[in-house]
Amino acid sequence: MIEILQWSTLAICGAAAVARIPSAVRGENRSLFYIFVLATLAILLSIDGPYVAIDRLLGGTNVTNLILRFVIFAVILLVGYRIARGFGAPASIRLILGPIGLGILAVIATATLVLFLLADTEGSVAGLTTLPSRSPRNAQLIELYAAAGRLYPAYVAASLLPATLAAASSNLAASIRWGAGLLSVAFVALPAGTLYPLLPDELGPLKALINYLAVLSLMGGLLTIWIGRVRAQPPARRSSTAK
């Protein structure tokens, strides 16, 4: 089931990226195109087969997982900028792109890199699932590394949630409200990831479901808002934007 969900999510993100190519070429909403492209890459790198194949090409040290973490950071930063600006949320913009937000990103990114370098990461394995069993020290390092990777998405999500909840309950167009609602679901699911260490191993599939719920809600929210705005445009302008 998880594999089906992974490939389905990859297909959705990839299709969204392809659909945005004409607009991106014209210079319209390029940040949205970059979000879909990077999200597609992140999903691809999270799937076992592609992950192992790519990582072996890169030396078999799970550096692909580190790349995945930084791709996710980039997606979240772009999403934060796009949504905060789109909903006119100056407080969210300051929290994400101001000195505090960029400082938090720098600290988390540095911690992620350092923890990865300190850990024993030899041998390609998606999700680093077998690495903690190598030693108590490695188990602690991998757990801290994973926790660091979840912190920045959780921070940005918490910064954006008030804005999306306000938009979802506003008098804006239905597509905007529905899109904001989906984004709100994503921004609740992302901070939930910080609680993963508290869940027993038997609930491992639940973690994956929460992750993909966040991704699908995030992409679905952005697509819903985009489609709604295209439909709201005059026919001549709509045909140009939709291409």
Side-chain angles (χ1 to χ4, degrees), residues 98-179:
I100 293 177
L102 294 178
I104 288 174
L105 173 58
V107 169
I108 292 175
T110 301
T112 300
L113 176 60
V114 170
L115 289 166
F116 179 85
L117 294 175
L118 290 174
D120 175 8
T121 60
E122 288 292 332
S124 302
V125 54
L128 310 183
T129 52
T130 62
L131 301 191
S133 62
R134 294 181 179 178
S135 69
R137 176 180 180 274
N138 216 48
Q140 186 176 33
L141 287 171
I142 295 299
E143 182 176 340
L144 290 172
Y145 168 77
R150 292 188 292 264
L151 277 178
Y152 185 65
Y155 170 77
V156 173
S159 301
L160 292 170
L161 186 58
T164 57
L165 287 175
S169 59
S170 68
N171 294 322
L172 294 170
S175 61
I176 305 298
R177 287 186 278 112
W178 277 101

